[in-house]
Amino acid sequence: MTEVLAVLAATWAVIMGLAPLLQLRRMVQRGSAADVSIGYLLILLPGFGLWIAYGVSATNLALVVPNAVGLLVASITTGYAVRLRRSWARSGSLAH
């Protein structure tokens, strides 16, 4: 039973790690990061890193894999949001 729960939890954690892709898709569609909380994303990044470190130290792939996915996706989403915000600041456009 514990192994089944580990697989289910790790699978759902990967899905959770992919969740920022929804925000990334919205930013791409709108060409704007105005409604994105970059602070929220920045809080997630060290959390993912800490869980990866803990998972590595505990040799627990069920912690490492989902958090690595989350770290990658949140990093991409954060980077794109920052890029859009800088673009907006340079252009001074209200559309971004």
Side-chain angles (χ1 to χ4, degrees):
M1 181 64 165
T2 301
E3 290 178 19
V4 171
L5 284 174
V7 170
L8 290 174
T11 301
W12 195 255
V14 169
I15 293 168
M16 289 170 44
L18 294 171
L21 288 175
L22 299 169
Q23 191 66 58
L24 181 62
R25 182 183 70 177
R26 183 172 174 90
M27 287 188 293
V28 170
Q29 288 172 343
R30 296 183 72 201
S32 172
D35 58 350
V36 175
S37 173
I38 293 174
Y40 168 75
L41 292 167
L42 290 174
I43 288 171
L44 289 178
L45 295 176
F48 286 130
L50 288 168
W51 279 108
I52 291 168
Y54 176 66
V56 167
S57 72
T59 59
N60 186 335
L61 281 178
L63 291 175
V64 174
V65 172
N67 284 290
V69 170
L71 180 63
L72 176 65
V73 172
S75 295
I76 292 168
T77 304
T78 303
Y80 192 69
V82 168
R83 181 175 159 215
L84 284 174
R85 295 265 178 100
R86 285 186 180 156
S87 173
W88 174 81
R90 278 190 295 249
S91 71
S93 170
L94 294 177
H96 292 276

